[in-house]
Amino acid sequence: MRGIYSNKTEIRHKVFTEIARMAYEDFPLSHIEDLPYEIIPGEIGKYYDNIFLERAIVGERLRATIGLPIRKMNEHAPLSEGIDASAIDEKYYDPPLIDIIKFACHGCPEKKVLITNGCQGCIEHPCIEVCPKDAIHMENGRSVIDEEKCIQCGKCINACPYNAIIKQERPCAKACGMNAIKSDEYGRADIDHNLCVSCGMCLVSCPFSAIVDKSQIFQTVLALKSNTPVYAAIAPSFVRQFGDNVTSEMVRAALKAVGFEDMVEVAIGADLCAIQEAVDFLQEVPKNHAWMGTSCCPAWSVMAKKTYPEYADYISMSLTPMVLTGRMTKKQHPNCKVVFIGPCAAKKLEASRRSVRSDIDFVLTFEEMMGIFDAKKIDFNQLEVEPPVQSSSAYGKGFAVSGGVADAVVNAIHCIEPDMEVKTVKAEGLMECKKMLALAKAGKYDGYLLEGMACPGGCVGGAGVLCDIRKAAVALDQDKAKSTIKKSSHSEYLKYLHLITKEELYENED
């Protein structure tokens, strides 16, 4: 769970930190063979009560963190097999981005209705009365379910006055809004990569740490050690991700301390995206399209295009904040490299697209970045910080929470067309996004702006965050309140957009 430092978090953090340290300290690539023994020392297992299993799982996580694929259980090869081709500073993510370590999977049941010890054996037994398949009967004064008859309709769950009946589901499959996770022939979770949009919700939800995503930590560190200037483009949701008392000024200082040239807020790109999407909406709705969907969440946009390909053009063609920030940074600093640091697993695949590769060189999550900080033993309280820089608007920062993108786009539309009424609808989580699209297809949202977010709460609930979602949202609101730039249309970076001029924006400003 986000915001809780659990055994799962500890394993991931140790792996990220050791791979970063390996790159910083110029260990030979064969050193990866030693790391499972350094991360899991001793003779007694701590997590699974099986030290051999623990080291095997850590080994596969190390491979993924350096960009290598997960090995099959029947493959016999050194842990470092293929590492020479991956441990280079120009390595892109190879699909699949997210995969399952099969021997770490618990083989959880897909769906099962269970009667717990909370059953009181009441004489009313409403569970029996409501069951449409006569799948429940009494034995020794307790309700019992016949699994062969049960259709998992859930009527007994709702009828029980003691809440003694539960539906148990595989956590990763329950979290997957694409229904991309099924069972293999051994009952272990299996991902259909043709359906997967790499949102990472399965990764977050698996309590056995059996699901892993690839990383570019090693490659990023190599770039930081080179003579090429590297800029950190950090997502708006970074507030409080590295500690409750860690300010944005501290984060900037920490990034410089590990080798970055400087930090650029992606909220600047969000301001530009809001303007682009406002223009897009005014040009397309309702003239060419009945409605328009936002573009900034790659998992949402890919899901929409996969699920309803006939409406692919209804998703805004605007560049995402990440891409806009990367392009802007490279115009300002030719020949530099840009690392996007954010909450999102899906951004890793977005950056791997051929049309985006020249704008964003590497993508890291906040969790992965924390591993780099710890590899360099960064103490945030000991850093020399510079005065804060106001560069993005409150609306741009608001892209990180559900509803924030739509708010920013509507505000930008009103800067151009002050009297125009713009209706919006939002959804968070891919299952809710699918429902929103179904209603749009049915004509319920004609003339609307649809905001889709794959993660609960928006980007603050992404797969790579460290902070509790609610705390992060509150901290973001506080950060927005401090912003001296209120509207996206006030951004000094509008000169990087060629769709519309400042003069046209300010023509109708208050």
Side-chain angles (χ1 to χ4, degrees):
M1 291 180 66
R2 305 161 188 80
I4 299 176
Y5 194 82
S6 62
N7 285 338
K8 181 173 105 172
T9 315
E10 183 178 50
I11 293 170
R12 289 173 60 84
H13 182 68
K14 285 181 177 179
V15 168
F16 295 155
T17 302
E18 290 307 318
I19 288 295
R21 183 176 289 121
M22 179 174 154
Y24 272 120
E25 298 184 12
D26 293 321
F27 285 110
L29 296 179
S30 60
H31 180 63
I32 196 172
E33 303 284 355
D34 301 326
L35 289 180
Y37 296 87
E38 294 182 12
I39 294 171
I40 309 289
E43 299 182 9
I44 305 298
K46 175 182 177 181
Y47 306 108
Y48 293 83
D49 294 328
N50 183 330
I51 199 164
F52 302 105
L53 176 62
E54 290 175 16
R55 285 175 179 154
I57 293 170
V58 165
E60 295 308 309
R61 299 198 73 89
L62 288 163
R63 282 179 58 84
T65 301
I66 214 161
L68 292 168
I70 298 300
R71 297 174 299 178
K72 294 181 180 178
M73 290 184 69
N74 59 357
E75 290 180 351
H76 177 69
L79 194 58
S80 56
E81 178 78 9
I83 196 171
D84 289 334
S86 188
I88 55 176
D89 62 0
E90 295 294 333
K91 174 72 176 177
Y92 297 107
Y93 285 112
D94 295 323
L97 172 69
I98 296 175
D99 214 341
I100 296 172
I101 303 172
K102 292 292 186 174
F103 51 84
C105 179
H106 188 61
C108 309
E110 288 190 26
K111 285 184 181 179
K112 194 173 185 180
V113 177
L114 301 172
I115 296 177
T116 69
N117 290 334
C119 176
Q120 300 298 302
C122 60
I123 62 170
E124 184 179 30
H125 43 67
C127 55
I128 294 177
E129 306 303 333
V130 300
C131 180
K133 296 295 181 179
D134 295 324
I136 304 179
H137 62 279
M138 299 293 288
E139 287 185 10
N140 300 320
R142 302 284 293 275
S143 293
V144 176
I145 296 176
D146 184 335
E147 298 292 344
E148 293 185 1
K149 292 182 179 180
C150 178
I151 59 173
Q152 301 163 1
C153 64
K155 290 184 177 181
C156 59
I157 298 173
N158 296 327
C160 178
Y162 296 102
N163 298 316
I165 308 178
I166 62 170
K167 179 182 280 188
Q168 194 174 75
E169 297 182 67
R170 173 175 277 157
C172 57
K174 183 179 179 181
C176 178
M178 295 298 291
N179 297 317
I181 300 181
K182 307 297 182 185
S183 294
D184 65 13
E185 64 270 32
Y186 301 109
R188 303 167 306 192
D190 194 56
I191 299 175
D192 183 341
H193 294 291
N194 292 320
L195 294 175
C196 176
V197 296
S198 300
C199 68
M201 290 300 101
C202 60
L203 186 153
V204 174
S205 300
C206 175
F208 284 90
S209 196
I211 306 180
V212 63
D213 58 335
K214 291 177 180 175
S215 175
Q216 290 177 317
I217 290 176
F218 192 91
Q219 294 80 0
T220 298
V221 173
L222 291 184
L224 291 173
K225 292 170 61 181
S226 72
N227 294 324
T228 302
V230 183
Y231 286 82
I234 195 159
S237 50
F238 80 97
V239 181
R240 200 177 278 189
Q241 292 298 332
F242 303 107
D244 289 347
N245 299 314
V246 177
T247 65
S248 59
E249 293 78 36
M250 289 179 180
V251 174
R252 184 184 182 197
L255 289 168
K256 287 186 174 183
V258 300
F260 285 98
E261 192 76 13
D262 205 350
M263 179 182 93
V264 183
E265 288 193 50
V266 176
I268 297 171
D271 284 327
L272 305 186
C273 179
I275 303 300
Q276 274 198 330
E277 292 202 349
V279 173
D280 201 2
F281 186 87
L282 290 170
Q283 290 176 345
E284 300 295 334
V285 182
K287 181 181 177 182
N288 298 317
H289 302 315
W291 48 269
M292 189 186 88
T294 56
S295 66
C296 62
C297 174
W300 138 257
S301 61
V302 172
M303 179 279 290
K305 292 168 185 177
K306 281 189 175 187
T307 309
Y308 293 97
E310 67 273 28
Y311 292 102
D313 292 342
Y314 284 50
I315 305 301
S316 174
M317 296 300 292
S318 301
L319 299 175
T320 65
M322 177 184 78
V323 176
L324 283 164
T325 305
R327 288 191 181 180
M328 181 195 72
T329 304
K330 292 201 170 188
K331 285 180 180 179
Q332 294 172 325
H333 310 285
N335 303 317
C336 76
K337 290 189 176 181
V338 177
V339 180
F340 175 79
I341 303 168
C344 183
K347 285 291 182 185
K348 295 180 177 182
L349 286 190
E350 181 189 348
S352 296
R353 297 173 190 166
R354 294 190 181 277
S355 60
V356 178
R357 286 181 181 181
S358 60
D359 304 310
I360 300 294
D361 298 282
F362 308 105
V363 173
L364 299 176
T365 65
F366 297 132
E367 189 180 15
E368 291 165 343
M369 191 65 233
M370 195 66 181
I372 292 178
F373 286 150
D374 281 355
K376 291 292 284 183
K377 296 182 170 57
I378 296 298
D379 183 343
F380 287 95
N381 294 313
Q382 298 299 318
L383 297 168
E384 292 187 15
V385 301
E386 300 173 18
V389 178
Q390 291 286 340
S391 56
S392 60
S393 77
Y395 277 105
K397 296 177 189 294
F399 264 56
V401 293
S402 178
V405 179
D407 286 346
V409 175
V410 170
N411 180 264
I413 290 171
H414 287 157
C415 290
I416 305 167
E417 297 287 348
D419 299 324
M420 183 176 181
E421 181 186 5
V422 184
K423 295 180 180 179
T424 66
V425 62
K426 65 177 181 177
E428 51 188 272
L430 291 178
M431 292 181 188
E432 293 302 312
C433 288
K434 280 184 179 180
K435 294 176 184 177
M436 179 174 69
L437 284 173
L439 291 172
K441 181 179 180 180
K444 302 294 185 182
Y445 294 136
D446 285 357
Y448 276 67
L449 175 69
L450 277 59
E451 181 200 284
M453 291 280 197
C455 300
C459 299
V460 291
V465 302
L466 294 163
C467 184
D468 174 81
I469 298 172
R470 290 169 295 180
K471 287 183 179 179
V474 170
L476 187 69
D477 282 339
Q478 293 170 346
D479 192 50
K480 286 169 58 181
K482 296 176 185 176
S483 181
T484 58
I485 307 168
K486 298 304 180 185
K487 298 183 179 183
S488 298
S489 55
H490 292 169
S491 172
E492 64 178 281
Y493 297 96
L494 289 183
K495 59 190 175 184
Y496 291 97
L497 280 181
H498 303 291
L499 292 177
I500 194 167
T501 66
K502 278 189 178 181
E503 288 72 26
E504 287 173 300
L505 276 171
Y506 285 107
E507 191 174 325
N508 294 311
E509 272 281 28
D510 297 348

